[in-house]
């Protein structure tokens, strides 16, 4: 890692000061283990309230684990999950769904990373046929893996479609804060149509913590056992809780997300018009996808360390974080411009 | 939780200052995610060296996860693990072995929590019979769940027996530090006969981190995938690594374990001779098991918060931690004595 | 295999003529696959009626498969099954429970192969504790793997205990016919207290077919999917159904079981008093367990091919089948007597 | 089912006489169970020889089970299988792969049901990346689910590509006999490039039996345990073996396949030129896929009972079987023609 700000991923950033301060503050005296402590009570009470989550809020270690635990509440063994082909759940969790839960995913190609009622409807074949897995849940990501953001209207439409079709709706919210910042709405508004969702702390400035938010009370009974069995029960859970307490106080989480989104907008504005660069998706959170002249990519990547996504070698992803500064963005844009122009 | 020191579990303690300091220190600038960072390199290099682990060292979040990941390296689906009935793996992991790995445990009753070659031999039936799961690994815990500690000679005998029988040896080292402190030996001495083991940070003063130590190089190839699939890959892994760095510098881990062990000895000495109290197992680490007059248990438990283990209601477990002080022990002993004598 | 009648297992016998005749009869013209055919309708209707099974009857290939499918209807992933240590489910299915379902078994030692409310109660620890699998079903075998037979009163007591404790009762009926013959009761009487059970055809004279009998209607919805997913959906299912039709007509199944039981009684009577032979369990079905002088076992086994059960080498199992004749038994008894006496 | 010959599926047919005769013949006296009998020896020896299978041949109950057992020999938990989207394995086994094995499928769209090296290459992304399942096996179906047949040259190219890429090749041979008949080659020629394959008896005239053929000796060690654990070990296995003996004697299997293929050709020729009917794929086995005017489908389907495949309602599948007669085909063709013309 160079000392330059990374645009490779929002998890290249460290932890926000408020998070580390609260971890230190929670390190006073003894506390019961496994979540039976006042810090966990405080964090989950507050999250429960923010989301309107009647089934409670449960802390786990990673985004993959949050997805698996959340979805495990919704399925019987022969039921399947419809998701976008680009979903983290499908392509970036090393088959945790298939191994840990044993359920099948039914991925749908989607150019912008979003599902729609129509795309889902195309996967609802074979219902009632014993030879086929039965579609039972829909998993969306908000904001998506391509940096796009469902509108509240789109979420409402998905929720209504799922209810009408007897499907459960799961929302991967590893970057849900960025959606709230983008839409200017509350977390409860985002969660209103989901049955279960995750709320990511890690990419928002935590050391490492995610929340599984269970909206419906009748889904919650098995969570404690499933969480333990899925190896996600922290013994000193106060240290997970403290991270969320740090993020929630003074709306640090929202400021962090707003800032990261704003830096992405600044970056997008900066590179527009640079020869050979074309943005691929709407920039609606803290990720930018662009095509570049392949010859420009390698020198820039060596210096700045971002990902080159596809096989053809000319699609890149740039991400901003809560601690990306305007100067960082400007320096990166200058470097991109310089590389592109030097070749012309 | 009262403000009194808990004797309920070593995970009621918080984190050691050295751990929190190192977490803060590692929070400088960006770092690559998923372990490709200098802090992880430093922690795992040092652990690798201490254990003589040719297959490498891999960080995970919990002791249950370390056991599952470690054992997943050793088994095919129809192979089984011989363990003591009292093993954490068998009784305290909510069936993670069966669900995540799909392998069967073959538990053996053992009065002191230890396995012996004879006890293992009694479970080696049905080899070559397709109707039976095939015993393939032996899992021991060092120190055991009953607070007893295998001697190096016992470990050697187990290792030789396993090799002769074509069995792999896994060691659950959630409290391995306490064994090193007890035996006055190096970590490599403890690990010498195991194929894979875990080394616990959490109960030793960490916020929450465990290491999976792979002794044989040929077992290591699948670890990265298995760890990710088992939902144990930390994105900001530097914060797991920093905890071990904090514990390893100046042998904090060993001092912590020695101190906890010493406090258990002090506690054992203090309660000896109190009417109605009888120690159940040799006190060889930081746990004490005792029988008490049932009438004394409830008032003491309300005040001090320890576990009552069995159904009959008269076996208790008391644990000391790295931060248990002599004064804590003396106050607790006084309280026990007073309760016992007041009834006489 | 010598041309002598085997006393090794009831599955060494072939198929009853009525079974083969009905297979041939069902081979007329085309039939829809996967059970949508008149033969399957007829067999399952009749079985449903005999058992009083509101949830329906479903055909599968093996006894192991019947157990796994039956139990899969009763459990969530973190729930466990209490069974006798000697249960086929525990020791003779190569870990199918753990791998295919991912659930844990909680085996209980039992000298006669039977469970009792007291034995079950001893395993009901840790309910509500997220670290422990949650006991949710009890699996018994009727008749047991040790040849003993639950009385109707014992079944009633188990059923009442399970209901009172919120436990489901599964009955492995691989040899249920032998229990009906022993007790002189109907199949519905045997099934009255179970939630799900199996009814074995194979050991009763079929080519290879078992029925999963679902007593409660609300458990049946997932059976078709689970059966297919568990690789037990026969495409030409009429040939499974025909076997049960053959066994059910003229109560062939009951005659077969009565006969096998009677031959076991004749065998038991014949060997009583032979020096060195001691029967181990009550002879209540078609299996006899005995201890013998180890020196007698090998010559007899070479000739007659039965199983020697335990490590110490002096416990043998002898089984009779639907086609064991009185002359077979008498010849075997004579051989045992001769061997024993020749050594005296 | 009407008394008319079904064109719905080749598993609507019953069993060939040679199969039933051999089942009856094998029902003489006792036989050891679980395959330790002379009938199983004879069947598997002969199959082993025909395929050149150094790892042996193992009998199971269904095609789904053969696929799962066969593939279970090739994968570690984080490894994946590349297959055509239309593969039975992917769409018609109710998620058995995901549940029983826990492995992920990587389906590839393919217009004719075949994979090619290029199609496979497009799925070989993310190798070495711990976030991704690792492609390790390729599963093809011969003949495919769309009735097409790989040429020997195509098989060779796939085999070479797989070896070069470190991939294992599995072949679903539920209708392998039809491929041998089509190509006029031996079973060993078809198997030459596969690591493991299945050989279907059921659709070829058996009551219900499939063989798992293991080409490489080093893959065979775990088969017995995996077969038992996957609930596919028949106790009276002689009755599975007898079916293959019946099919193999006098090359009944090959005659059956040739006949079914010829009937499909006759059917294809018959419907060519009928207004509104268009064949969709090359007719290279016993399946025909066609588009029809939707108005013609329902009346024909009521009478003849075939499948309508896609959502738009105008793609049908017609299958012939070993016992489809020329008169059956001609009657069906006449019915199709009449329906089509009556509307014009």
């Amino acid at each position: 890692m160079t000392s330059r700000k990374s645009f490779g991923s929002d998890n290249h950033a460290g932890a926000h000061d408020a998070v580390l301060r609260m971890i230190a503050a929670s390190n006073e005296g003894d506390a019961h283990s496994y979540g039976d402590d006042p810090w966990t009570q405080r964090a989950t009470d507050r999250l429960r309230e923010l989301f309107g989550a009647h089934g409670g809020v449960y802390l786990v270690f990673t985004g993959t684990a949050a997805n698996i635990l959340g979805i495990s509440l919704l399925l019987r063994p022969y039921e399947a999950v419809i998701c976008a082909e680009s979903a983290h759940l499908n392509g970036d969790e090393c088959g945790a769904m298939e191994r840990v839960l044993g359920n099948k995913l039914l991925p749908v190609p989607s150019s912008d990373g979003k599902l729609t009622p129509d795309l889902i409807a195309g996967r609802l074949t074979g219902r009632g046929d014993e030879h086929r897995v039965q579609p039972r849940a829909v998993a969306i990501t908000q904001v998506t893996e391509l940096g796009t953001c469902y509108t509240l209207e789109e979420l409402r439409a998905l929720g209504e479609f799922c209810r009408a079709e007897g499907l459960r709706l799961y929302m991967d919210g590893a970057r849900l804060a960025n959606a709230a910042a983008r839409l200017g709405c509350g977390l409860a508004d985002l969660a209103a149509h989901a049955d279960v969702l995750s709320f990511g702390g890690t990419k928002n400035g935590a050391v490492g913590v995610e929340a599984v938010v269970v909206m419906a009370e009748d889904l919650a009974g098995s969570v404690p056992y499933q969480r333990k069995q899925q190896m996600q029960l922290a013994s000193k859970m106060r240290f997970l809780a403290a991270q969320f307490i740090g993020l929630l106080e003074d709306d640090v989480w929202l400021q962090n997300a707003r800032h990261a989104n704003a830096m992405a907008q600044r970056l997008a504005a900066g590179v527009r018009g640079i020869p050979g660069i074309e943005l691929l998706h709407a920039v609606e959170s803290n990720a930018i996808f662009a095509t570049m002249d392949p010859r420009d990519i390698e020198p820039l990547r060596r210096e700045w360390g971002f990902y080159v996504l596809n096989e053809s070698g000319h699609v890149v992803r740039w991400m901003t974080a809560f601690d990306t500064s305007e100067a960082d963005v400007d320096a990166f844009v200058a470097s991109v411009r310089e590389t592109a122009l030097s070749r012309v």
Side-chain angles (χ1 to χ4, degrees), chain A:
Chain A
M1 209 81 206
T2 72
S3 58
R4 280 181 171 154
K5 180 59 190 171
S6 167
F7 288 84
S9 177
D10 40 8
N11 62 28
H12 289 184
H16 192 278
D17 283 345
V19 167
L20 291 192
R21 272 203 312 270
M22 205 58 76
I23 286 178
S26 71
N27 192 33
E28 283 189 8
D30 284 358
H32 274 152
S33 42
Y34 305 117
D36 179 21
D37 69 84
W39 301 86
T40 303
Q41 192 66 46
R42 185 170 147 199
T44 57
D45 279 357
R46 182 71 184 122
L47 285 167
R48 194 174 177 137
E49 186 186 352
L50 281 169
F51 280 95
H54 296 291
V57 173
Y58 307 86
L59 307 183
V60 299
F61 298 108
T62 76
T64 293
N67 287 344
I68 298 300
L69 176 57
I71 289 174
S72 73
L73 308 179
L74 305 176
L75 301 180
R76 285 176 291 188
Y78 54 92
E79 293 176 335
V81 182
I82 297 169
C83 65
E85 217 163 60
S86 52
H88 195 269
L89 187 65
N90 183 45
D92 292 288
E93 303 187 351
C94 201
M97 169 66 53
E98 290 82 1
R99 184 184 199 180
V100 179
L101 301 192
N103 291 100
K104 194 180 184 76
L105 292 172
L106 299 172
V108 184
S110 161
S111 60
D112 62 356
K114 293 186 192 176
L115 290 182
T116 64
D118 275 359
L119 288 173
I120 298 166
R123 271 299 207 173
L124 294 180
T125 54
R127 300 185 99 174
D129 175 350
E130 67 196 331
H131 295 79
R132 308 290 180 83
V133 289
Q134 298 297 298
R136 175 67 176 141
V138 169
I140 60 174
T141 311
Q142 174 73 319
V143 299
T144 74
E145 292 80 0
L146 303 183
T148 54
C149 181
Y150 289 93
T151 64
L152 290 181
E153 179 54 28
E154 286 171 332
L155 292 178
R156 195 189 53 71
L158 284 168
E160 285 176 2
F161 178 82
C162 286
R163 268 191 300 283
E165 289 288 350
L167 300 166
R168 298 284 199 173
L169 184 59
Y170 174 78
M171 194 188 299
D172 174 345
R175 293 187 185 96
L176 195 69
N178 300 81
R182 163 78 185 176
L183 299 175
C185 66
L187 292 168
D189 300 318
L190 290 167
H193 301 289
D195 294 291
V196 179
L197 68 156
S198 68
F199 179 47
T202 313
K203 295 170 195 293
N204 188 252
V207 157
V209 66
E210 309 282 309
V212 173
V213 180
V214 182
M215 299 304 286
E217 201 164 354
D218 67 308
L219 293 174
S222 72
V223 180
Y225 306 103
Q226 301 254 29
R227 177 171 59 177
K228 174 62 190 174
Q229 196 179 51
Q230 293 173 30
M231 308 175 293
Q232 295 298 319
L233 182 61
S235 59
K236 298 181 179 175
M237 202 183 292
R238 56 171 144 169
F239 295 123
L240 295 190
Q243 298 178 50
F244 264 121
I245 294 173
L247 291 174
L248 292 172
E249 291 208 338
D250 304 322
D251 286 341
V252 167
W253 69 274
L254 187 56
Q255 297 172 45
N256 281 356
R258 276 185 190 144
H259 180 76
N261 286 4
M263 291 305 98
Q265 291 299 337
R266 185 180 188 94
L267 173 48
V271 299
R272 271 193 196 102
I274 294 181
I277 292 193
E278 196 168 346
L279 299 190
L280 278 179
H281 305 294
V283 178
E284 297 173 344
S285 59
N286 66 327
I288 292 173
F289 290 78
T291 53
M292 289 188 76
D293 188 299
R295 291 165 295 180
D296 294 350
I297 291 181
E298 201 41 40
L300 277 167
R301 198 165 71 104
R302 262 201 305 277
E303 213 177 350
W304 294 92
F306 49 81
Y307 289 95
V308 181
L309 293 192
N310 79 348
E311 302 294 291
S312 62
H314 65 285
V315 176
V316 297
R317 187 190 73 172
W318 302 323
M319 299 204 78
T320 56
F322 75 92
D323 60 353
T324 306
S325 70
E326 296 192 352
D328 293 331
V329 172
D330 296 346
F332 180 57
V333 168
S335 186
V336 173
R337 174 173 292 116
E338 188 181 357
T339 306
L341 294 181
S342 71
R343 210 181 24 75
V344 178

